[in-house]
Amino acid sequence: MEGPSRQRQREAGESEKQSDEQLTCPECSSDDVVMDADQGELVCDDCGLVLDERQIDRGPEWRAFNHSERQSKSRVGAPVTETMHDKGLTTTIDWKDKDAYGRSLSSEKRSQMHRLRKWQERIRTKDAGERNLQFALSEIDRMASALGVPRSVREVASVIYRRALKEDLIRGRSIEGVATAALYAACRQEGIPRSLDEVAEVSRVEQKEIGRTYRYISQELGLELKPVDPKQFVPRFASALGLSEETQAKATEIIDVSAEQGLLSGKSPTGFAAAAIYAASLLCNEKKTQREVADVAQVTEVTIRNRYQEQIEAMGFR
């Protein structure tokens, strides 16, 4: 029975042979060549001739003696992320002035760590483009946290902004405006219902600029974004109002019937969803006032009344 060390050498030799061309021993013409990971050598397993030395060991630094140990010890580094300007590949120095054992550093060491931290931040961004990207991605992360959207949306928004930066679409526009437009486009692309008003609330730019920039980058980058479905807003609005599942199902039905008759064209999806929830609350005896629904949906009472009248007529109640 082979020992663990010899087995590891044989496995390393097999992987080496698969990656490179077939190796044969010039002494005995044997193709049974293994890599000695401890010595960094390619050795013929039959006659012991060293074919090559000072090989780079690409294997792990740990040993495993069976399959379960190998699976439990296999690991990778931190995943690459688009939400950081360097994709998370550089190191960061923690702001806490403590060593590995949790002990506070001396004043001399704290001063040294402060200088290292400062220079680390400087070398992470080598030019204006990276500083632009760093600021924009931090803005996207801040706004995404305020909106409560999942991490996948942040990744998509970061990719959209990187594309806009690469195509030189930022020139003449504010970084915050393009970052907000990228986040709004990512929300629509991932099917996360966030209205333009909600995005504008957490942004530092006006809603008109966000809409204008969004239309520009979506056209230039060829983003194929479908119209927002009002039904996506129903669960969130109904949950905020404390309505039952029956009322939500009724609101969805009202939206479907109204959309089939072409009433949705040119209408705000949030206003349409709010009116459907208001109508469903009346039909299911869970009455909510127009003011309550308008506050949750961030639309006016006039919008709810107009859409409500159209939907009631479409349902055939008048």
Side-chain angles (χ1 to χ4, degrees), residues 1-48:
M1 182 177 178
E2 289 184 336
S5 179
R6 176 62 65 182
Q7 185 179 0
R8 281 197 303 125
Q9 294 172 9
R10 186 176 296 279
E11 289 175 356
E14 290 175 357
S15 63
E16 192 73 26
K17 284 189 292 185
Q18 290 174 359
S19 58
D20 300 328
E21 59 183 11
Q22 188 72 23
L23 296 175
T24 57
C25 177
E27 186 72 25
C28 63
S29 301
S30 172
D31 58 356
D32 195 4
V33 178
V34 297
M35 179 178 179
D36 187 349
D38 296 330
Q39 303 295 328
E41 298 173 342
L42 280 177
V43 184
C44 175
D45 199 32
D46 290 341
C47 67

Side-chain angles (χ1 to χ4, degrees), residues 76-289:
V76 294
V80 176
T81 175
E82 299 287 345
T83 59
M84 299 178 69
H85 75 283
D86 52 10
K87 298 188 178 182
L89 297 176
T90 60
T91 57
T92 56
I93 301 177
D94 195 9
W95 59 270
K96 298 178 182 177
D97 291 324
K98 295 179 182 291
D99 60 10
Y101 298 99
R103 297 189 295 256
S104 298
L105 300 177
S106 63
S107 60
E108 182 182 354
K109 285 291 184 182
R110 281 200 301 270
S111 177
Q112 182 183 5
M113 293 304 298
H114 176 72
R115 292 183 69 255
L116 288 174
R117 198 178 293 116
K118 181 169 62 176
W119 278 104
Q120 173 70 7
E121 287 299 320
R122 287 177 179 175
I123 64 176
R124 286 184 70 186
T125 52
K126 61 181 179 180
D127 53 26
E130 286 196 359
R131 286 194 295 272
N132 176 322
L133 189 59
Q134 184 181 31
F135 176 69
L137 296 182
S138 65
E139 278 293 292
I140 290 175
D141 190 63
R142 179 189 65 80
M143 292 185 291
S145 298
L147 289 172
V149 296
R151 187 165 186 83
S152 61
V153 176
R154 307 182 191 194
E155 294 280 350
V156 173
S158 302
V159 172
I160 292 174
Y161 188 88
R162 287 176 185 271
R163 289 182 58 193
L165 185 63
K166 184 179 180 180
E167 297 292 333
D168 200 22
L169 304 181
I170 316 295
R171 190 181 300 274
R173 292 171 177 80
S174 67
I175 298 175
E176 296 94 333
V178 180
T180 309
L183 180 60
Y184 177 66
C187 288
R188 291 191 58 173
Q189 191 167 325
E190 292 295 297
I192 305 297
R194 292 296 184 272
S195 65
L196 197 57
D197 293 331
E198 292 176 298
V199 176
E201 275 192 359
V202 300
S203 177
R204 294 193 176 103
V205 294
E206 296 180 355
Q207 179 179 339
K208 186 179 294 185
E209 183 183 348
I210 298 172
R212 184 167 57 243
T213 308
Y214 161 72
R215 287 189 294 270
Y216 174 71
I217 65 171
S218 62
Q219 181 180 358
E220 292 295 323
L221 297 178
L223 302 178
E224 297 180 359
L225 301 174
K226 299 179 181 178
V228 179
D229 189 355
K231 291 186 290 185
Q232 294 179 340
F233 293 95
V234 171
R236 187 156 58 92
F237 292 168
S239 176
L241 292 167
L243 298 175
S244 63
E245 293 287 338
E246 180 187 359
T247 305
Q248 294 186 39
K250 192 66 177 178
T252 303
E253 179 187 350
I254 293 172
I255 293 174
D256 288 335
V257 174
S258 303
E260 287 177 0
Q261 299 187 18
L263 299 179
L264 182 56
S265 178
K267 306 295 192 306
S268 168
T270 52
F272 208 81
I277 289 174
Y278 174 68
S281 67
L282 296 179
L283 294 173
C284 297
N285 296 321
E286 294 185 45
K287 182 172 173 57
K288 296 292 180 181
T289 64

